[in-house]
Amino acid sequence: MQEAEQTYIQGTVSAVIYQNEENGYTVLRLDVGDEGAITVVGCMPGVAPGEGISVQGTWARHTSYGEQFKAETVERRLPAGTKAIYDYLASGAVRGIGAATARRMIEEFGEEALVVLEEHPERLTKLKGITRKKALAIGDGFRMQMGMRRLLSFLGEHEVPLQLSMPLYRRYGDRALEVIRGNPYLLVDEELGVEFSTADQLALSMGMEGDDPQRMEAALLHELTYNLDNGHTFLPRRKLLPATAQLIGLEGEELEDALETLLERGEVVQEQVAGEEGIYLHDLYEAEQYVAWRLTEMARGELTAPQQLEELIDHIQTEQGIIYAPQQREAVALAATSQVMLLTGGPGTGKTTSLRGVLALFDQLGLETALAAPTGRAAKRLGELCGSEGYTIHRLLETQYDPRSGRLVFSHGEDDPLKVDAVIVDETSMVDIVLMQGLLSALREDCRLILVGDPDQLPSVGAGNLFSDLIRSKAVPMVRLTEIFRQAAQSAIVRNAHQVNQGVLPNLRENKTDFFFLRRKEAAKAAETIVELIQTRLPNNMGIPTDQIQVLSPTRKRVTGTASLNRAIQEAVNPPAEDKPERRFGEYVFRQGDRVMQVRNNYDVLWRDGARSGMGIFNGDIGQIIRVDNREQTVTVNFDGRVVEYTPDMLVELEPAYAITVHKAQGSEYRAVILSVSDGAPVLLTRGVLYTAITRARELLILVGDDEVVARMTANDRQQRRYSGLRWRLVQMKER
């Protein structure tokens, strides 16, 4: 796609039509002289009538408001001349000054009015009705605006996105520009989202030398932080140094001193872990150590069995109208005598039945139990299966985002533990080491913990290999369910999931009941078939509504990747219409009625659910667009009852979700799944991906694509190694 031509325009702000105080997004009219006024949109916090601005960007046509200029860089000039200064002050741009005060200021100070505001606000006391306290408050507010103005100028000059101005100012206040000048690498942060290369280019353009210690330290920290997304809680020193050297074009030896400085300051920790000289970020080291210590202590805390335990289990069986299989009964009994335990098994092995038994046991013992899971959909499903409300772990801990530290914080912790006697966590394979640290620190000393999951699912998106490490360490009491029950065994989905997990290719010719394979060697034909299935064939022939069908793909790219499939499916199931407003953002069109996914954690976004409200929408949450308001520039999404309003700068956090990657589907279950199995990157065509995809389907699974790809995925048991010290620590602590 050809990029739009960049245009440079300058003029005077004649009117501000809309301004969002939270993110600085602004719609204004710009007087450009003989050519009249144009509409300009972009990030311009605090801009006001009377200001002179120069903008660089591109022209675009809005569906409702016609031609607009989208400003990508903005240079602001304070108004010059008494009329422009009066217009600026009278507009309310400076808190505490209205039209009457602006007139008196111009009469008293003339063209020096703005200089007085910034440098000598006490002189405002010459004006009737302004006390010294009020004068200083007005001056403070104006200086804050000047700080924001200079920050914007700095960002624009160095081609850094202007949208960063508000989060930077929220975090650092008046010192924002000073702080970023002092250390440009602070921009490389999860909330700010600046690439290391961008911050590095900024630092070098400001005159920083290539071998400056600050640059080398920032590069080392970035390499460790970046690899958290690859699941590593630490990196071997032998890999960290050369990888960082390649990143910034230096020799590895030059980085030795920088690493030693970071170690001395305690920002990173070095420890011999399972034969590797491991380098940890300090917080990850603390998290791993804490999880290992706390779980070891809990595993040692064997509880006294309640009186007549066997009779109690018999009573629970009678109430539930079932008879537990031996392994299920073992799980319920173990929960009675263990402070912490693992419950694991594949599909159809009775994890849910076992969980219901454990929950009934805890009820009989008078224990208050909380049900939790890593994602909203998994928590909702767990609650429905167990007949009680399920919480996301984040919601259970009352997660908040601390803008000062830039970190996720939990309201519940050691100082304010959860007021429950037991916690049951489902889909534990998705839980990373930091989230587990947060959960464990919020448990009272005598609280019980049941961790449930399937270790053959894909591991957590975040750092660590938690559930697999716990199982392989054998340091925590565990029941592994292996018997596939008769009713489940009748499901081809369950049978084929177990076959794939054992490396056995499913019988793709045996299209029965709930498992089908449609052979489409050509990717374009496969994509066409997938669209037909979700648009007409499944709704019309099998009575499955489109909103209960989820398309999965191992990859985002190619014809059968999620990006291309989403465009095709949207056009088929939710085409443009006069009564369906839409909003274009980047490569996506967001239309009323679309299914969308949140693609990054946002801890400080407000949601409402009727009279209830809360904070936080998380990576992987799926919802539906219920309103597109082009006048207010907002998109409103309903996430299973939690309603969130997205302003323009937040749309980067949304993606269409008619088709999603298998990784994004973890922890969710759908009535019907259509899985694209066409050629792609070998690292994505693995047994774990295929197994996870199959187990997402509850009633129907349709594979569409190439049978040779299915065979390659079944045979490819290669798993990307994760550097984690948890298993090693658990074994060490258990043996002490």
Side-chain angles (χ1 to χ4, degrees), residues 655-676:
E655 285 185 4
Y658 295 107
I660 63 176
T661 62
V662 178
H663 283 80
K664 290 288 188 184
Q666 282 179 270
S668 297
E669 187 180 75
Y670 312 96
R671 182 178 175 186
V673 167
I674 302 169
L675 175 63
S676 166

Side-chain angles (χ1 to χ4, degrees), residues 380-408:
K380 184 177 181 181
R381 191 179 81 238
L382 176 63
E384 290 169 350
L385 292 172
C386 293
S388 183
E389 185 175 7
Y391 297 83
T392 63
I393 299 174
H394 289 93
R395 184 179 157 207
L396 184 69
L397 299 178
E398 297 183 34
T399 309
Q400 296 178 340
Y401 186 80
D402 181 3
R404 292 185 177 276
S405 66
R407 294 180 181 178
L408 169 128

Side-chain angles (χ1 to χ4, degrees), residues 40-81:
V40 180
V41 300
C43 181
M44 296 170 279
V47 73
E51 283 193 62
I53 65 171
S54 303
V55 291
Q56 186 170 341
T58 57
W59 287 100
R61 177 160 290 278
H62 192 280
T63 53
S64 301
Y65 303 113
E67 202 167 41
Q68 297 180 337
F69 189 82
K70 298 178 72 172
E72 295 174 17
T73 63
V74 180
E75 181 183 340
R76 295 165 63 175
R77 302 181 302 279
L78 283 174

Side-chain angles (χ1 to χ4, degrees), residues 308-496:
Q308 299 178 320
L309 176 59
E310 295 303 321
E311 287 82 353
L312 182 56
I313 296 176
D314 289 339
H315 174 69
I316 293 170
Q317 285 186 140
T318 302
E319 279 194 336
Q320 296 184 340
I322 58 172
I323 297 177
Y324 296 135
Q327 290 175 337
Q328 293 175 322
R329 190 177 183 103
E330 179 190 354
V332 177
L334 186 61
T337 58
S338 301
Q339 190 179 356
V340 61
M341 67 168 279
L342 311 179
L343 177 62
T344 182
T349 57
K351 291 197 298 293
T352 299
T353 299
S354 302
L355 269 184
R356 287 182 180 139
V358 171
L359 188 57
L361 172 74
F362 287 171
D363 285 344
Q364 292 286 337
L365 297 177
L367 303 179
E368 180 74 24
T369 305
L371 302 177
T375 67
R377 283 177 173 259
K380 184 177 181 181
R381 191 179 81 238
L382 176 63
E384 290 169 350
L385 292 172
C386 293
S388 183
E389 185 175 7
Y391 297 83
T392 63
I393 299 174
H394 289 93
R395 184 179 157 207
L396 184 69
L397 299 178
E398 297 183 34
T399 309
Q400 296 178 340
Y401 186 80
D402 181 3
R404 292 185 177 276
S405 66
R407 294 180 181 178
L408 169 128
V409 294
F410 303 117
S411 296
H412 291 291
E414 291 180 345
D415 295 332
D416 182 19
L418 294 166
K419 295 176 176 61
V420 295
D421 305 302
V423 175
I424 296 175
V425 178
D426 198 12
E427 298 287 354
T428 309
S429 63
M430 296 180 63
V431 179
D432 61 43
I433 194 73
V434 173
L435 187 55
M436 182 53 69
Q437 178 196 26
L439 177 61
L440 289 172
S441 66
L443 301 184
R444 294 189 305 216
E445 196 172 320
D446 60 348
C447 187
R448 306 182 190 215
L449 179 64
I450 312 293
L451 300 176
V452 187
D454 183 348
D456 296 313
Q457 302 279 0
L458 294 171
S460 61
V461 174
N465 207 15
L466 179 93
F467 199 54
S468 178
D469 282 351
L470 291 177
I471 291 171
R472 291 184 301 142
S473 73
K474 299 180 181 177
V476 178
M478 178 180 70
V479 173
R480 185 190 295 270
L481 303 173
T482 57
E483 180 185 351
I484 303 174
F485 291 94
R486 184 183 305 170
Q487 185 175 353
Q490 294 173 355
S491 164
I493 293 174
V494 172
R495 289 201 311 275
N496 286 320

